[in-house]
Amino acid sequence: MEPADPASFDYLHPNGRSLTNQVEGPRKSDASDSILLAQDVDLSARAAWAAVGFAVVPGLAPTAQNQLQAGLMHLLREALRAAGCPVASDFDVTRYHHVVGDDPELHHAVIAQTKAYELSQLPIAPALLEALVSAACGQAVRAYNPHTREAVFHLRIVRPHRSDHNPLHRDAWLPRYQDALNIYLPVAGSTVRSSLTLVPGSHHWPENAVERTVGGAIYNGIPFTVPGVLRPTRPLDLIRPNPGPDEVLVFSPYLLHGAAANLNEDATRISLEMRFWQAR
Ligand SMILES: O=C(O)CCC(=O)C(=O)O
Ligand SMILES: [Fe+2]
C-alpha cells in the first residue's frame, strides 16, 4: 500500500460536460492483469448483452411497476418524517432537496434509513423482480446474498448538483457484492441528466486498467464504503442508458459504474437498487 494519493482526472460526462473526478484514498499498488469476473460467478455470461454487461429491459406489468414505484415513494416520505421533516402523503419526492436542503446531518438521517430495507418491506412480491431479472440474464436468480445471508434493497437518493453520487467503482471490489447482478429501477427524477452512468464492456477489463483506492474512497470530500477509481489507464466512455419509468436497467456489478452526478435542474433522483445472486 502506498501513501494517500489524492488524484483527479477530468472525464467527459455523457451529457457532454467535462467533470472532474476528485478521489482520495490510499492507492492499491498490486493491481494485476487478472479479470475479476473470470474468477467469479458471471451472471451476465448467458445473456444476449454479455459483451456490454448491461441491458435496459421492459419493467414489470404496469400495475406492479406502479405499485412498486408508489410504494417506494411512500417509504421515502416515511423516512423523511422519521428524520423530522413532516411531508404530506402526496409530497413530490423529486423536491427532496428543497426539504432537506444542504444539511448533511438531515440527509444522513434519511439515507441511514433508505440504504438497507429488509426485503419484506418491498411494496411488491420480490418474486416478480426475481422473475424479471432471471429472464433478462437467462438463469434463475434470487434477491438473497449468500455472502452476508441478507435479503435487502436500497433506495438511492441523489440530489441535483450535490456530491451524493458514489465514485466510479465496481461493486465486486467489496467481497459481499461478488457474484451478483444489479438492477437500477427509476422511481422519480431519473433522467438522461441524472440516471446511473457506466462504462460498457468494462466488466471484462483487467484490474490494472484502472488505478483505485484500497478501501473506501473519499469522493468530492465525502467518505464512501466502496473503493473508487483514482485514475484510468485507458479511455473511459461513460454512458447513461437512462431507463424509462416503465423500464429497468440490469447490469453487471463488475462494470465500472457510478460517478452519476445529478445534472437535473431541480429534481432529486430516486432509484431502486437491488442485487440478485444465483438461485441454489
Ligand atoms: O445509482 C447510483 O448512482 C449508484 C448505483 C450503484 O452503485 C449500484 O447500484 O451498485
Ligand atoms: Fe455500485
Side-chain angles (χ1 to χ4, degrees), residues 12-24:
L12 187 65
H13 219 266
N15 303 101
R17 280 204 202 182
S18 176
L19 296 181
T20 299
N21 194 68
Q22 180 64 55
V23 176
E24 295 167 68

Side-chain angles (χ1 to χ4, degrees), residues 17-40:
R17 280 204 202 182
S18 176
L19 296 181
T20 299
N21 194 68
Q22 180 64 55
V23 176
E24 295 167 68
R27 182 172 66 89
K28 190 171 183 346
S29 57
D30 56 352
S32 71
D33 58 2
S34 69
I35 296 167
L36 274 189
L37 188 55
Q39 304 155 15
D40 293 351

